[in-house]
Amino acid sequence: MESDSSIEKRSVADDAASKPHLNASDVDVAAELTAGKDFVLDPAEAARVRRKIDWHLMPLMCILYMMQFADKTTLGQSAVLGLLTGKHARLDQAQFNWLGTIFYLFFLGFEWPQNLALQYLPVGKWMSVNILVWAIALLCHAAARNFGEFFACRAFLGICEGAITPGFMIVTSMFYTRQEQTQRVGYWFLMNGAAIILLGLIAFGTLHIHSGVLEAWQWLMIITGIITFIVAILFWFIECLKDPKTWLFFFFSAISNVTNSLSNQRQIIVAGFGFTPGQTTLLGCVDGAVEIIVIFCTVTSATYWKNGRAYSGILAYCVAILGSILVNTLPSSDRVGLLFSYWICVTSIAPFVVMLAWVGSTTAGHTKRLTTNAIVMIGYAVGNAAGPQYWEKKYQPRNHIPWTILSVCWAVSLLILLATRVYLSWENKRRDREEHDSTYDDVYVTEKMPDGTVVEKKVDKAFLDLTDIQNRDYRYVL
């Protein structure tokens, strides 16, 4: 018995010694996460997860693959839009043919380095960088004047192409089972056909752009390049763009600033009430005083009214809407009434100030906060750019149509503020019902002391660069 026992012990030890041992860095991330654990995934839950991935990931991949194929074939489409013919032709047939070869020569040369980069760098981020460079190179086609410059543009497209299809294959294998991958690869690869249709429609549209500065083929390069540039940004920031509050803030910024043109029209408006140029100039000073008062009152209310940021903005919009209605309905002979009604409308400026502060206090994570700020300011620029266009001469002096537009924009902005508050309140309650997420509870940083010893220090979750989506303990201010 003793002999048998010792033999058995030796056998177990020998078996353990013969088994391979790997470091965490030598295995797949999924293997590292699941080592020593047995998972049984419910089919219904698996289907739910697959649907969620399909809705969030597949549309973006399809759009991106469609654009990269469209971009590759813009050169062929440009051949019939004036690139090879006409008085502004830039290439001959032989040069055009070489550009097709050059693309794939650089693709061949950089395919191996690109795959190494995909192995050691974050796949999504590296693909985004390549798509961004791709978009810039495509835009540069419009400025190319000779074969050498087109050569450089096509070379960069070939270099970046090396990351696209391999990257898509990696992403597909990361999120789908082997049985699901064939169909999903087919989904994004069939976008090549959609790209041909899209490119044909855009090319047809460029023929109807009458510009003495750019040729039709240059417009084709610019339009497709801009679309690709936007897709690259989408691929980099995925979380920020799927966060509903980002778009609520964006649309609020855009719509509310359509009415900002009121500040540029104020002298014309007051003069239209029947005041002289001298009176109009002096009365304009009151606008500034009213603006100071309403902004101060609104931000003070938003600060001290518990959970009242949206309500403070809504109150200001109610006053502004009342003013716009009075301006539209009071008789032209009531100059003073019209003037005071106009001043009441100045309160419409204050809610945007409240929103700017609200964006920062409801968005966490440095990168996400910067991106959200940029999106909000894009909305600001879009709204301000559109605003002046409805103040047409034919509507003067009472401007009934512009004032109606102002009323509608303020009402919609009011509803967006309310919707934002409802959404954030709902999200807070949902997080209150969730079990505590301990993922980031025990995070440490190492610090080397003067004597050479290494000390670990715990970092509070609040000081980690987590987004408000990642940090489930985060609660939105209302």
Side-chain angles (χ1 to χ4, degrees), residues 119-374:
Q119 174 69 26
Y120 293 103
L121 298 174
V123 176
K125 295 290 189 281
W126 182 244
M127 287 179 65
S128 298
V129 170
N130 278 274
I131 299 162
L132 190 64
V133 174
W134 175 292
I136 294 171
L138 188 64
L139 289 168
C140 289
H141 278 68
R145 297 163 296 179
N146 52 55
F147 176 71
E149 293 175 358
F150 277 102
F151 183 106
C153 294
R154 301 303 289 183
F156 276 102
L157 289 187
I159 292 170
C160 296
E161 164 73 4
I164 306 300
T165 302
F168 269 51
M169 294 166 64
I170 292 173
V171 171
T172 305
S173 65
M174 287 168 61
F175 287 94
Y176 293 100
T177 65
R178 286 179 292 181
Q179 185 177 358
E180 298 164 349
Q181 287 171 21
T182 301
Q183 195 170 22
R184 269 64 187 183
V185 170
Y187 288 160
W188 51 257
F189 208 92
L190 63 79
M191 297 308 290
N192 288 354
I196 295 172
I197 297 171
L198 175 69
L199 193 64
L201 294 174
I202 295 176
F204 180 76
T206 61
L207 291 171
H208 296 80
I209 299 177
H210 303 291
S211 170
V213 179
L214 298 175
E215 298 288 316
W217 67 268
Q218 292 174 305
W219 280 113
L220 179 66
M221 297 291 186
I222 292 171
I223 293 170
T224 52
I226 290 174
I227 296 173
T228 307
F229 184 89
I230 294 172
V231 172
I233 302 301
L234 292 177
F235 211 78
W236 182 279
F237 304 109
I238 184 68
E239 177 179 313
C240 180
L241 296 172
K242 70 179 182 181
D243 189 341
K245 73 175 188 300
T246 301
W247 297 110
L248 287 168
F249 286 136
F250 168 79
F251 286 112
F252 174 84
S253 180
I255 296 171
S256 66
N257 279 287
V258 169
T259 66
N260 202 32
S261 57
L262 186 63
S263 60
N264 293 327
Q265 302 291 328
R266 59 190 180 88
Q267 303 287 9
I268 300 173
I269 291 169
V270 174
F273 294 156
F275 293 97
T276 66
Q279 291 171 331
T280 299
T281 302
L282 290 176
L283 290 171
C285 298
V286 180
D287 293 15
V290 173
E291 183 172 334
I292 292 171
I293 294 170
V294 297
I295 290 176
F296 177 80
C297 291
T298 305
V299 297
T300 302
S301 170
T303 302
Y304 294 103
W305 186 351
K306 185 178 180 181
N307 296 329
R309 288 166 175 80
Y311 296 148
S312 297
I314 288 170
L315 182 60
Y317 275 135
C318 287
V319 175
I321 292 170
L322 173 62
S324 64
I325 293 173
L326 289 173
V327 171
N328 244 348
T329 57
L330 287 175
S332 299
S333 58
D334 190 358
R335 295 194 305 168
V336 176
L338 289 169
L339 181 62
F340 274 87
S341 299
Y342 158 72
W343 282 334
I344 290 174
C345 295
V346 177
T347 58
S348 63
I349 296 173
F352 181 71
V353 181
V354 174
M355 187 277 298
L356 286 178
W358 206 10
V359 171
S361 59
T362 56
T363 309
H366 182 67
T367 301
K368 184 177 181 181
R369 187 179 292 116
L370 290 176
T371 309
T372 303
N373 292 344

